[in-house]
Amino acid sequence: MQFSTIYTAAFTAMAFLALPTIGAPSPNIEARSAELDARANEILEARAAALVCQLGGVKACSAECVAKGHIHGGYCNSHETCICNH
């Protein structure tokens, strides 16, 4: 009976000491999350640029570039991606 009491006390102490490390978020998680968000936005923008050319052609690409503030419009490259002129 005394062994189980000591074992239970030791286990409880070890579990209690481990709690702060289990729930503590790593500071690198936020940085990595920001990197992944930026990369996801780049991919979405590239797909959107490709859809403009595939669905609307050069006129749609030029209109989108003008709407973004590029006064010289844009064109669809050989990969059917909208490229805005500067």
Side-chain angles (χ1 to χ4, degrees), residues 21-79:
T21 59
I22 292 172
S26 171
N28 293 332
I29 289 175
E30 290 181 13
R32 181 68 177 144
S33 178
E35 289 174 20
L36 291 175
D37 286 343
R39 180 66 181 134
N41 287 336
E42 289 175 14
I43 291 170
L44 290 174
E45 288 175 11
R47 287 184 181 171
L51 280 176
V52 168
C53 287
Q54 291 170 358
L55 298 177
V58 176
K59 289 182 181 180
C61 174
S62 183
E64 182 175 336
C65 290
V66 169
K68 288 182 177 179
H70 300 278
I71 60 171
H72 299 293
Y75 63 94
C76 296
N77 69 6
S78 62
H79 300 289

